[in-house]
């Protein structure tokens, strides 16, 4: 007699024997990853339960340890990215731990970058508000206008929609492929 091959899980509910596997059982994890790739949200839920604490811990080490809520947000985004990768036929095939760890670290870096950019925008806004309250400087000839004035003029010349696109891509650091569906336009 030949050994029975491991079951291929494709339904929304994983097979009961997958649930009974130990938390570190690589065979069970391979089945769960394949089931998640095949569309089983329940199988991915098991992986989520197994690795959520790890993901939050990695995020906390990558961010400020005092920022638990941001670490939890980073972990959730990372899990969403992993699920998307699996559903697109990509991502890990044998174990989730290393792939998830890298995904969390990258998302923590992105979150810190967004936070810095937002702080810079707030600082710039506060500086602009302070300048607006100060008396107007003497008029400057058109030849003496710097790059900033030209950029401001160009920005004001954009429609609200394209200002929003510019904000999302340059200030928040989002990719065009992420912004396009939000605005109902193509990324190309």
């Amino acid at each position: 007699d030949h050994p029975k091959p491991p079951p291929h899980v494709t339904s929304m509910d994983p097979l009961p024997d997958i649930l009974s596997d130990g938390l570190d059982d690589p065979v069970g994890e391979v089945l769960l990853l394949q089931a998640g790739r095949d569309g089983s949200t329940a199988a991915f839920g098991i992986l989520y339960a197994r690795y959520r604490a790890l993901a939050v811990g990695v995020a906390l080490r990558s961010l400020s340890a005092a920022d638990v809520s941001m670490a939890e947000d980073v972990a959730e985004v990372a899990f969403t990215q992993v699920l998307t990768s699996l559903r697109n036929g990509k991502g890990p095939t044998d174990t989730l731990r290393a792939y998830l760890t890298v995904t969390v670290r990258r998302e923590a870096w992105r979150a810190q970058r967004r936070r810095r950019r937002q702080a810079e925008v707030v600082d710039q806004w506060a500086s602009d508000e302070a300048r607006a309250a100060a008396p107007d400087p003497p008029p400057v000839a058109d030849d003496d206008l710097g790059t900033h004035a030209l950029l401001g003029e160009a920005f004001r010349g954009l429609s609200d929609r394209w200002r929003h696109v510019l904000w999302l891509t340059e200030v928040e650091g989002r990719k065009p492929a992420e912004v396009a569906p939000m605005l109902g336009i193509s990324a190309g």
Side-chain angles (χ1 to χ4, degrees):
D1 289 306
H2 296 288
K4 196 174 181 182
H8 185 73
V9 181
T10 58
S11 70
M12 293 307 285
D13 296 318
L15 297 176
D17 63 339
I18 292 176
L19 293 171
S20 65
D21 287 336
L23 288 181
D24 296 324
D25 181 4
V27 175
E29 191 158 320
V30 169
L31 290 174
L32 290 169
L33 286 168
Q34 185 57 48
R37 187 172 278 106
D38 291 340
S40 173
T41 53
F44 192 78
I46 294 168
L47 291 169
Y48 174 85
R50 286 183 184 180
Y51 287 104
R52 185 180 184 283
L54 169 80
V56 172
V58 169
L60 278 170
R61 285 187 298 279
S62 299
L63 301 166
S64 166
D67 202 349
V68 176
S69 64
M70 180 173 246
E72 289 175 345
D73 290 347
V74 163
E76 299 304 321
V77 170
F79 272 108
T80 302
Q81 291 170 344
V82 170
L83 179 60
T84 301
S85 292
L86 287 173
R87 294 268 170 91
N88 289 330
K90 299 175 183 173
T93 56
D94 54 352
T95 181
L96 181 61
R97 185 183 193 93
Y99 189 90
L100 179 63
T101 299
V102 170
T103 305
V104 169
R105 285 183 185 144
R106 286 181 179 160
E107 184 53 37
W109 179 83
R110 285 185 200 108
Q112 288 173 325
R113 185 172 170 223
R114 278 191 301 273
R115 181 181 273 178
R116 276 193 308 271
R117 284 184 169 189
Q118 289 169 348
E120 289 169 5
V121 168
V122 168
D123 290 346
Q124 182 64 41
W125 177 80
S127 174
D128 290 347
E129 288 292 314
R131 269 185 289 209
D136 289 336
V140 179
D142 285 343
D143 294 343
D144 294 337
L145 288 177
T147 308
H148 297 292
L150 293 174
L151 288 174
E153 185 179 323
F155 186 75
R156 285 187 297 278
L158 293 173
S159 68
D160 288 340
R161 181 179 189 184
W162 287 109
R163 282 187 210 172
H164 188 61
V165 169
L166 190 61
W167 180 271
L168 292 172
T169 56
E170 296 302 315
V171 175
E172 292 186 11
R174 297 182 184 204
K175 296 191 181 317
E178 180 185 354
V179 173
M182 294 170 35
L183 301 172
I185 57 177
S186 69

